[in-house]
C-alpha cells in the first residue's frame, strides 16, 4: 500500500501521467494512491501524514493528540486558525479553532513511509480540551483517556493542587476560563462513584471440552460473541449482529424441555443450564468449569445389550402410584443446572452408563447416552419404531450409533437408549469434536427447520466437507432412505456435520456428515397417515421417483452412474433387511406394538418394490 504526495514522493508531471494511465488514483489535489490498493486502508494508515501535508500549520488535538492517529471510526482531530472539515474516503479531518496561545509539543510518527515530526497538544492543553463546551474534540476524549491525562498531570506536578495551578496558567493565557474551572473540579473533586451498571447484563463463558473459547455478552439489549483467540479451530461465529450465534441457538432446548423449563427467553435458558451437546459448557464463572464432568464414553452400550435389548440396570426416573406422571418425574432432573440440556421436541433424558452397566441420569456425571421414553396419545410405540428405523438404516449401510430397547419400571412401555457419537471415547482421547446441525450451518432459526430443501443442504455441505463427493452421496442416500421408511421428520436439525480436530490444531481435520440419527417412520402414528417428506427435493415432498433423486444428485454435482449405484445399493440392502428384521425377544411388546412395526415394514417393502 502506497501513498503519493506531489512535491514529496513524486513530481507534478509524473503524478498527472500516472493518473491518466490508470496507475494512480487522485484523492484530492496533490494526494494519490496506487490504483490496485485498498484506498480506505491507505488513507487511514497515513492519516496524520495527509493532514500535515494539507494543513502544515495545524497540530493534533483532542483524542488524536493521545492516539497520534485517527480514532477507530476514522476521525482525525486538528486545531488551527479556523474551523473546517475535510472528508477523504474513510477519513474525516475535523479542525477546530486553536486558542491564541496554544501549548504544543513535538511527536514522532512512523506510518510505514518513514518517521516524521508532527505538532500535538501538550498534556496540559489536552486536558483543558477535554472540558470544552459543545466540542467534538472534547467528546473524542473518553473517560478512560481523561483519567489517564489527569494521573499524568498529578505525577508531573506532584499533587492535584499543583496540577490545577499549572492548568490555570494556561487557561488564562488561552481565555479558557470555563474549561479551567471544569478541569479544577475534576482534579480536586474527582467523582469516586463507579459508573452505573446494568445488573441485567450477562457475561457467559463458553467452553469446548472444558477449555474456554470465548464469551457470550448481553448488555440488556443484544448479544455479542467475543472469541478468546486461543488454540483450536473456529467453532462459533456470530453471523447477525446482536443475535445469538446460530451454533448456540442450535443447542438450546425446544419443545417439551423448553416447556418444562417454563421460560423461552434466551438469557434465562442459558443461565438455567450449563451443559450442552457438542461438548459445550456455558457458565458465568470460570471456577464452575472445573466442577463439571467431561463427557467421555467409558462404557459401550454393546457391552450391556444383546439382540437389541438392554441387559444392564436402569436407575432412571420411573412412574409410581403416588407420582402424577412420568414426564413430571423426568422434569425434576432438569431443575439442576448441571443436567445437560437437549434440543428436539421429543421427550429425552441425558443418561450415564457406568462400567457396571447401570444407567442413571447424568446430573453431575458424564453425559454418554440419551434415553427416549415412550410418548402418550398413540405414541407408545415411538421408541420401538425408531429402533426399527435405525436397524434398517444400519442394514442399509449407513453409519449409525448403538441403540437398544430398555424395559421400563412401573409398567411403562419400553424406551430407547442411544449412544452418543459426538464425544471422546476414552480418557486419553484428545480429539475436539463438535456436532453442528444443518439449521446452524444454514444460519436458520430452529422454527425454520422444515423450510428448506435437500438441494440447499447439498449446496451447503459441499464447500464445508473434507470429503465432499462422499458426503453428497450420503445426502442422496439419506433422502432416499427417508422416503423408503416414510420418515416425515428428517428436517434440518436431524442432519448434521460432525467436525473433528486434533488438540492444538487451528482447523478441523475432518468435517463429515454425521451418522444417521433420529430416523423414524412417521406415517404409522395418529394423524400422520399422509405425512410427507420434511424437506423437498426436486420441488416435491411426496410421490417421489428415481428421477427426483437423480435430479438431486445432478444439483449436488454427482455423476449419474455414481448416484444410481448408491441408490441401488441402498435398495438391495433394504429389501433384505425388511425381510430379515426380528424384534428383541427379551422386550415385552404388546400386539399393537407388533402391528405398528409390521406396518412400518409393509410401507418400506412397498416403496422399495416401486423403485426396483
Amino acid at each position: 500500500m502506497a501513498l503519493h504526495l506531489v512535491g514529496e514522493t513524486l513530481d507534478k508531471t509524473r503524478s498527472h501521467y500516472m493518473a491518466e494511465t490508470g496507475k494512480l488514483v487522485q484523492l484530492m489535489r496533490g494526494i494519490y494512491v496506487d490504483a490496485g490498493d485498498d484506498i480506505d486502508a491507505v488513507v487511514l494508515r497515513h492519516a496524520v501524514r495527509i493532514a500535515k501535508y494539507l494543513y502544515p500549520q495545524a497540530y493534533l488535538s483532542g483524542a488524536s493528540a493521545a492516539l497520534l492517529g485517527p480514532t477507530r471510526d476514522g476521525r482525525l482531530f486538528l486545531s488551527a486558525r479556523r474551523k473546517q472539515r475535510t472528508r477523504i474516503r474513510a477519513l474525516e479531518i475535523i479542525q477546530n479553532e486553536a486558542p491564541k496561545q496554544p501549548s504544543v509539543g513535538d511527536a514522532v510518527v512512523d506510518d510505514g513511509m518513514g518517521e516524521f515530526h508532527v505538532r500535538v497538544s501538550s498534556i496540559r492543553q489536552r486536558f483543558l480540551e477535554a472540558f470544552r463546551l459543545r466540542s467534538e474534540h472534547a467528546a473524542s476524549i473518553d473517560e478512560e483517556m481523561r483519567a489517564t491525562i489527569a494521573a499524568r498531570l498529578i505525577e508531573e506536578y506532584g499533587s492535584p493542587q499543583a496540577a490545577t495551578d499549572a492548568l490555570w496558567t494556561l487557561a488564562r493565557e488561552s481565555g479558557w476560563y470555563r474549561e479551567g474551572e471544569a478541569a479544577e473540579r475534576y482534579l480536586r473533586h474527582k467523582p469516586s462513584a463507579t459508573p452505573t451498571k446494568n445488573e441485567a447484563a450477562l457475561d457467559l463463558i463458553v467452553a469446548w471440552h472444558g477449555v474456554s473459547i470465548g464469551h457470550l455478552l448481553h448488555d440488556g439489549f443484544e448479544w455479542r460473541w467475543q472469541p478468546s483467540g486461543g488454540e483450536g479451530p473456529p467453532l462459533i461465529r456470530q453471523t447477525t449482529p446482536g443475535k445469538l450465534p446460530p451454533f448456540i441457538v442450535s443447542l438450546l432446548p425446544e419443545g417439551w424441555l423448553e416447556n418444562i423449563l417454563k421460560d423461552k427467553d434466551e438469557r434465562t435458558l442459558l443461565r438455567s443450564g450449563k451443559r450442552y451437546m457438542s461438548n459445550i459448557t456455558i457458565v458465568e464463572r470460570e471456577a464452575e468449569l472445573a466442577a463439571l464432568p467431561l463427557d467421555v464414553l467409558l462404557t459401550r452400550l454393546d457391552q450391556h445389550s444383546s439382540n437389541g435389548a438392554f441387559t444392564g440396570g436402569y436407575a432412571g426416573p420411573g412412574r409410581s402410584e403416588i407420582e402424577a406422571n412420568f414426564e413430571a418425574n423426568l422434569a425434576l432432573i432438569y431443575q439442576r443446572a448441571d443436567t445437560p440440556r437437549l434440543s428436539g421436541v421429543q421427550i429425552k433424558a441425558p443418561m450415564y452408563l457406568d462400567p457396571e452397566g447401570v444407567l442413571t441420569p447424568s446430573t453431575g456425571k458424564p453425559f454418554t447416552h440419551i434415553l427416549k421414553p415412550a410418548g402418550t396419545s398413540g405414541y407408545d410405540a415411538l421408541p420401538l419404531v425408531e429402533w426399527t428405523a435405525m436397524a434398517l438404516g444400519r442394514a442399509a449401510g449407513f453409519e449409525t450409533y448403538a441403540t437398544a430397547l430398555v424395559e421400563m419400571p412401573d409398567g411403562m412401555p419400553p424406551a430407547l437408549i442411544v449412544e452418543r457419537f459426538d464425544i471422546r471415547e476414552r480418557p486419553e482421547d484428545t480429539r475436539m469434536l463438535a456436532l453442528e446441525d444443518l439449521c446452524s450451518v444454514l444460519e436458520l432459526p430452529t422454527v425454520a427447520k422444515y423450510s428448506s430443501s435437500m438441494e440447499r443442504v447439498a449446496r451447503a455441505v459441499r464447500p464445508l466437507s473434507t470429503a465432499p463427493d462422499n458426503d453428497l452421496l450420503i445426502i442422496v442416500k439419506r433422502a432416499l432412505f427417508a422416503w423408503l421408511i416414510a420418515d416425515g421428520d428428517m428436517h434440518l436439525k436431524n442432519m448434521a456435520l460432525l467436525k473433528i480436530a486434533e488438540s492444538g490444531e487451528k482447523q478441523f481435520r475432518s468435517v463429515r456428515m454425521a451418522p444417521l440419527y433420529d430416523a423414524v417412520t412417521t406415517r404409522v402414528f395418529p394423524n400422520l397417515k399422509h405425512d410427507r417428506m420434511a424437506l423437498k427435493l426436486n420441488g416435491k415432498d411426496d410421490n417421489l421417483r428415481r428421477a427426483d433423486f437423480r435430479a438431486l444428485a445432478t444439483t449436488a454435482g454427482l455423476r449419474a452412474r455414481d448416484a444410481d449405484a448408491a441408490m441401488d445399493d441402498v435398495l438391495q440392502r433394504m429389501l433384505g433387511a425388511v425381510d430379515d428384521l426380528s424384534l428383541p425377544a427379551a422386550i415385552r411388546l404388546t400386539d399393537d406394538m407388533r402391528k405398528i412395526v409390521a406396518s412400518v415394514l409393509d410401507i418400506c417393502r412397498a416403496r422399495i418394490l416401486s423403485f426396483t
Side-chain angles (χ1 to χ4, degrees):
M1 296 191 298
L3 175 74
H4 304 278
L5 303 175
V6 173
E8 292 189 8
T9 62
L10 79 169
D11 58 58
K12 186 175 181 180
T13 302
R14 182 168 177 78
S15 67
H16 284 306
Y17 170 75
M18 295 182 72
E20 289 176 356
T21 56
K23 295 180 180 180
L24 296 181
V25 174
Q26 185 179 28
L27 301 181
M28 59 188 309
R29 186 173 182 178
I31 303 175
Y32 297 82
V33 296
D34 289 339
D37 281 347
D38 182 339
I39 297 177
D40 287 347
V42 173
V43 169
L44 291 174
R45 183 179 183 184
H46 302 294
V48 178
R49 188 181 294 271
I50 291 172
K52 185 177 181 182
Y53 179 81
L54 292 174
Y55 311 111
Q57 301 304 316
Y59 58 89
L60 296 179
S61 56
S64 295
L67 300 172
L68 296 181
T71 58
R72 293 183 64 180
D73 58 0
R75 293 181 298 165
L76 187 73
F77 295 95
L78 303 180
S79 292
R81 295 177 61 183
R82 60 178 181 172
K83 299 178 181 179
Q84 64 179 12
R85 289 174 179 264
T86 305
R87 166 79 68 175
I88 307 175
R89 293 298 182 102
L91 174 67
E92 183 176 21
I93 301 174
I94 304 172
Q95 187 170 292
N96 73 351
E97 188 174 348
K100 296 179 179 179
Q101 301 292 332
S103 174
V104 298
D106 188 70
V108 179
V109 175
D110 189 340
D111 57 0
M113 292 177 60
E115 292 185 355
F116 62 98
H117 290 258
V118 61
R119 295 195 306 161
V120 300
S121 294
S122 68
I123 299 295
R124 286 189 301 159
Q125 181 162 310
R126 208 174 302 170
F127 195 59
L128 291 173
E129 288 172 348
F131 296 97
R132 299 215 71 184
L133 300 177
R134 297 180 295 278
S135 167
E136 281 189 73
H137 287 58
S140 71
I141 301 176
D142 59 26
E143 179 57 33
E144 182 180 357
M145 195 177 293
R146 186 182 296 187
T148 301
I149 298 173
R152 167 67 176 79
L153 285 170
I154 294 172
E155 180 184 9
E156 178 179 353
Y157 292 100
S159 69
Q161 181 58 56
T164 300
D165 293 340
L167 284 171
W168 267 114
T169 300
L170 181 59
R172 293 188 184 97
E173 291 176 354
S174 304
W176 287 4
Y177 297 101
R178 289 184 177 179
E179 290 81 353
E181 291 172 354
E184 180 179 4
R185 284 195 299 270
Y186 187 93
L187 285 174
R188 299 183 63 179
H189 308 287
K190 182 179 177 181
S192 58
T194 57
T196 302
K197 179 184 178 182
N198 182 5
E199 297 297 332
L202 289 180
D203 183 351
L204 301 175
I205 301 168
V206 180
W208 184 30
H209 287 284
V211 178
S212 175
I213 58 173
H215 290 252
L216 269 178
L217 306 174
H218 194 278
D219 59 7
F221 176 68
E222 62 182 10
W223 289 101
R224 181 163 59 91
W225 167 244
Q226 186 179 77
S228 62
E231 294 186 357
L235 178 63
I236 299 173
R237 61 195 185 282
Q238 186 172 28
T239 54
T240 304
K243 302 295 184 182
L244 269 181
F247 184 83
I248 299 296
V249 173
S250 71
L251 301 176
L252 294 180
E254 56 176 323
W256 175 82
L257 180 54
E258 187 178 36
N259 293 330
I260 287 296
L261 296 174
K262 298 180 181 178
D263 204 320
K264 298 183 180 181
D265 176 70
E266 294 170 340
R267 299 172 66 259
T268 306
L269 286 174
L270 286 167
R271 296 184 74 176
S272 70
K274 301 176 182 178
R275 302 169 61 193
Y276 299 86
M277 296 289 287
S278 293
N279 306 286
I280 295 294
T281 49
I282 301 177
V283 296
E284 295 187 63
R285 291 171 293 277
E286 191 86 30
E288 296 178 80
L289 293 176
L292 297 174
L294 295 177
D295 298 332
V296 181
L297 188 64
L298 300 176
T299 307
R300 294 282 188 175
L301 183 59
D302 291 343
Q303 299 173 236
H304 299 281
S305 61
S306 177
N307 298 320
F310 180 59
T311 57
Y314 175 76
R319 179 176 62 196
S320 67
E321 295 179 355
I322 61 173
E323 290 170 338
N325 54 57
F326 173 74
E327 290 186 24
N329 191 20
L330 185 59
L332 293 177
I333 70 174
Y334 285 104
Q335 292 181 2
R336 286 274 300 270
D338 57 348
T339 298
R341 272 35 179 170
L342 299 169
S343 63
V345 297
Q346 184 181 357
I347 300 173
K348 303 172 186 175
M351 307 296 284
Y352 168 59
L353 183 61
D354 69 17
E356 285 71 40
V358 179
L359 196 63
T360 57
S362 56
T363 303
K365 303 174 184 177
F367 172 26
T368 60
H369 294 77
I370 301 173
L371 179 75
K372 298 184 176 183
T376 57
S377 303
Y379 286 83
D380 290 0
L382 180 57
L384 178 62
V385 172
E386 184 172 343
W387 179 90
T388 302
M390 294 304 298
L392 292 174
R394 199 172 297 115
F398 292 102
E399 183 182 359
T400 64
Y401 46 70
T403 61
L405 289 171
V406 184
E407 285 281 8
M408 297 292 284
D410 306 320
M412 290 189 296
L416 182 70
I417 185 72
V418 303
E419 189 164 87
R420 289 186 64 185
F421 55 80
D422 63 329
I423 58 176
R424 292 170 174 171
E425 298 178 353
R426 54 192 183 280
E428 59 272 18
D429 189 349
T430 59
R431 293 177 303 158
M432 310 286 285
L433 300 97
L435 190 69
E436 184 173 13
D437 65 45
L438 265 297
C439 252
S440 173
V441 171
L442 291 171
E443 301 172 12
L444 294 174
T446 299
V447 294
K449 61 186 178 183
Y450 292 97
S451 305
S452 193
S453 66
M454 292 304 299
E455 287 83 359
R456 189 176 179 187
V457 169
R459 285 192 293 268
V461 169
R462 176 173 282 283
L464 300 177
S465 171
T466 51
D469 287 342
N470 292 337
D471 276 339
L472 291 169
L473 278 174
I474 290 174
I475 289 172
V476 173
K477 292 163 64 176
R478 286 282 299 275
L480 175 60
F481 179 72
W483 169 249
L484 294 177
I485 69 169
D487 184 355
D489 204 41
M490 192 185 74
H491 49 67
L492 293 177
K493 288 189 71 66
N494 281 342
M495 291 183 286
L497 293 176
L498 182 60
K499 301 180 175 183
I500 304 175
E502 289 298 328
S503 180
E505 291 182 338
K506 291 292 186 181
Q507 299 295 327
F508 286 104
R509 177 174 295 186
S510 171
V511 178
R512 299 295 311 276
M513 282 295 293
L516 178 70
Y517 66 92
D518 285 1
V520 63
T521 300
T522 55
R523 285 204 172 196
V524 297
F525 293 107
N527 304 316
L528 296 177
K529 185 178 180 180
H530 303 290
D531 199 25
R532 297 167 177 263
M533 292 280 283
L535 303 176
K536 291 185 178 181
L537 69 151
N538 199 30
K540 300 167 62 178
D541 58 10
D542 201 7
N543 299 318
L544 298 176
R545 298 290 182 264
R546 181 180 285 263
D548 298 314
F549 295 93
R550 284 174 174 164
L552 170 62
T554 300
T555 301
L558 297 170
R559 292 182 297 186
R561 65 173 179 270
D562 292 340
D564 276 325
M567 288 189 285
D568 289 339
D569 181 60
V570 171
L571 290 165
Q572 184 176 1
R573 289 170 178 265
M574 282 279 291
L575 189 58
V578 167
D579 293 331
D580 296 340
L581 182 76
S582 58
L583 299 176
I587 301 296
R588 289 171 293 180
L589 302 175
T590 65
D591 290 341
D592 287 341
M593 290 180 181
R594 294 182 184 276
K595 288 179 182 178
I596 287 177
V597 173
S599 297
V600 170
L601 299 179
D602 287 343
I603 291 172
C604 294
R605 194 176 289 110
R607 292 194 172 188
I608 293 169
L609 293 176
S610 72
F611 263 75
T612 56

